[in-house]
Amino acid sequence: MPGVDLYRNTGPEGSVDYKIYQEKEDKNLEKRTDRKDHELRKMFLKTGVISHAKGSAFIEVGDTKVEVGVYGPREIPKRSDFSMKGILSCEMKFAPFACSTRRGHQRDSEEIELGLLLKECLESTVRMNLYPKSCIDIFVTVLEDGGGVLAAAITATGMALADAQIDMYDNLVGSCISVNQGRFLADPSLDEEVSCSDAGHEQGNITIGYLNTSEQVVCLFSQGVLSSTSMDTALN
């Protein structure tokens, strides 16, 4: 059996990975028959899912499932200097079973990068001037990665902050789109994201954090090779 997983009972020595028996699907984007290019996946939202957190939210977008917990604001212990603005602490973590390959318990580079992007969104959204010398802790757990993880995490975090009654300038939502040689796919699945991230063509994935009422973009994350025209069309 390839690899050794210390957290599970290993099979016989002659066993093989079950994935070799799975039928490989044709990932041709021309066969997106379940929905049109501009249609979104089915979404489910719920707040108050973590009893001991001040605010929490759960979002399910297609196969993507994300849970967010908000704790605080709390006083920062042993801090001598006074600051009129509070501090945001944001941590994003994939559950070990969230992806097809088992994730480690320690945060990797992808999780750290996504956590920093999410923190940038929140710093432009939360009114931290109302929480001097305080800290707000936000923990995001990805239960299943089915594509559009960062966009789902942004939306769920905005819901969790509202559930925790944290003052914000506006309601924060996330959105993502994939571009593949002039074709724009809204709310892509994981297979579509992977197909649009291959090098060699004008294609990529775009994720934004958006303030709905004020119509402001607080975060823009792009992967792939995209021209300015394709970027402008995707954002519009």
Side-chain angles (χ1 to χ4, degrees), residues 28-36 39 183 192:
N28 188 358
L29 296 181
E30 296 296 334
K31 295 185 177 180
R32 189 184 191 183
T33 57
D34 55 340
R35 54 195 171 100
K36 298 180 181 179
E39 291 182 350
R183 188 179 181 188
E192 292 169 345

Side-chain angles (χ1 to χ4, degrees), residues 6 29 55 84 90 95 130 134 163 205 228:
L6 301 178
L29 296 181
M84 290 301 298
C90 186
L130 300 180
S134 301
D163 183 52
N205 302 301
S228 58

Side-chain angles (χ1 to χ4, degrees), residues 1-187:
M1 177 173 288
V4 178
D5 193 341
L6 301 178
Y7 297 94
R8 298 182 182 180
N9 295 326
T10 58
E13 294 183 359
S15 61
V16 295
D17 197 331
Y18 71 93
K19 295 186 181 66
I20 67 173
Y21 298 106
Q22 291 180 339
E23 297 182 0
K24 295 185 178 180
E25 300 178 356
D26 187 2
K27 299 181 180 179
N28 188 358
L29 296 181
E30 296 296 334
K31 295 185 177 180
R32 189 184 191 183
T33 57
D34 55 340
R35 54 195 171 100
K36 298 180 181 179
D37 291 354
H38 64 276
E39 291 182 350
L40 307 180
R41 293 175 291 178
K42 293 183 179 180
M43 182 183 299
F44 172 78
L45 280 167
K46 186 177 180 181
T47 57
V49 294
I50 303 177
S51 58
H52 59 275
K54 185 174 182 181
S56 59
F58 172 81
I59 186 172
E60 183 175 346
V61 185
D63 294 331
T64 302
K65 301 177 181 64
V66 179
E67 186 180 59
V68 181
V70 177
Y71 301 84
R74 60 178 178 83
E75 183 181 359
I76 302 177
K78 299 181 180 179
R79 182 173 179 176
S80 58
D81 58 323
F82 180 80
S83 175
M84 290 301 298
K85 293 184 64 176
I87 297 177
L88 272 173
S89 173
C90 186
E91 180 178 321
M92 190 167 180
K93 186 75 178 69
F94 284 83
F97 49 82
C99 305
S100 57
T101 57
R102 187 178 179 87
R103 304 294 293 251
H105 292 276
Q106 298 293 331
R107 297 175 65 196
D108 54 26
S109 58
E110 180 185 5
E111 294 168 333
I112 295 175
E113 182 182 13
L114 293 177
L116 292 175
L117 290 170
L118 184 59
K119 183 179 179 180
E120 289 182 4
C121 290
L122 301 177
E123 287 178 343
S124 303
T125 307
V126 181
R127 302 181 62 184
M128 296 306 299
N129 59 306
L130 300 180
Y131 305 99
K133 207 174 181 180
S134 301
C135 179
I136 299 176
D137 300 312
I138 301 171
F139 298 94
V140 181
T141 304
V142 180
L143 302 177
E144 185 174 353
D145 183 6
V149 169
L150 180 58
I154 292 174
T155 304
T157 304
M159 296 289 294
L161 289 170
D163 183 52
Q165 300 180 2
I166 301 297
D167 286 275
M168 296 183 289
Y169 293 105
D170 201 348
N171 186 29
L172 177 65
V173 295
S175 179
C176 59
I177 188 171
S178 291
V179 183
N180 183 44
Q181 302 181 25
R183 188 179 181 188
F184 299 89
L185 304 175
D187 193 16

